[in-house]
Amino acid sequence: MAPEAPMPASRAVLCTAVAIGSAIGALSRFFSASAIAELWGGGDFVATAFVNVVGSFIMVLYATLTAPRGAFPMSEVSRQFVMAGFCGGYTTRSLMGLDTFLIVLDHHPFYGAAYVVGVVAMSLLAAATGYGIGRMFDRPGGYRTIEECRALS
């Protein structure tokens, strides 16, 4: 007898999972940024870049590992808790936009552009690394089509 398909989560359960994950992610970002500023210096720019790069890695690694055909399939609720909730609260593209704007306002448009390009490039590299590590856990013959990659989120 085939196992029953899991019952879809209600909208309220998904919203609650995302809200709780977002709160944990935002607090994690705050404490990470404080620790980075204290340990490495460099102010908010370094901390913002760090959380965005690390968040990109975590999101793609988790998405790859927990996809329906991933090594450790998880429920929609747990995936949304981590990806939309925690990672969404942890990363901060809006703060990166503010940081960039402040750099440009300080008459450094080249540094502002370099900051954006650098953070995005490092985030993409971190995402690719997370994907590569996640794929190492795939079952033999567990290839993915481009449509399955798009559906990771």
Side-chain angles (χ1 to χ4, degrees):
M1 187 170 176
E4 291 184 31
M7 191 168 93
S10 75
R11 193 80 160 153
V13 169
L14 285 173
C15 288
T16 302
V18 170
I20 293 169
S22 295
I24 294 168
L27 288 171
S28 297
R29 178 182 68 231
F30 176 78
F31 289 121
S32 294
S34 299
I36 290 163
E38 191 173 308
L39 292 173
W40 293 344
D44 294 336
F45 301 119
V46 172
T48 300
F50 179 85
V51 298
N52 284 328
V53 170
V54 170
S56 295
F57 172 80
I58 292 169
M59 182 180 288
V60 176
L61 175 64
Y62 190 81
T64 303
L65 289 172
T66 63
R69 287 184 49 192
F72 308 102
M74 294 285 175
S75 71
E76 181 183 13
V77 173
S78 76
R79 288 172 54 82
Q80 293 305 319
F81 171 82
V82 172
M83 294 187 306
F86 178 81
C87 291
Y90 184 70
T91 58
T92 176
R93 302 291 184 224
S94 57
L95 185 54
M96 188 177 84
L98 174 62
D99 289 346
T100 305
F101 185 70
L102 293 174
I103 293 169
V104 172
L105 276 180
D106 199 28
H107 306 290
H108 298 289
F110 175 77
Y111 293 133
Y115 178 71
V116 169
V117 170
V119 173
V120 170
M122 289 186 299
S123 295
L124 289 172
L125 182 59
T129 302
Y131 180 75
I133 291 170
R135 290 296 309 266
M136 291 171 32
F137 292 91
D138 278 355
R139 297 176 203 112
Y143 71 91
R144 292 210 174 94
T145 65
I146 191 70
E147 289 79 23
E148 289 173 311
C149 291
R150 284 188 185 121
L152 286 175
S153 63

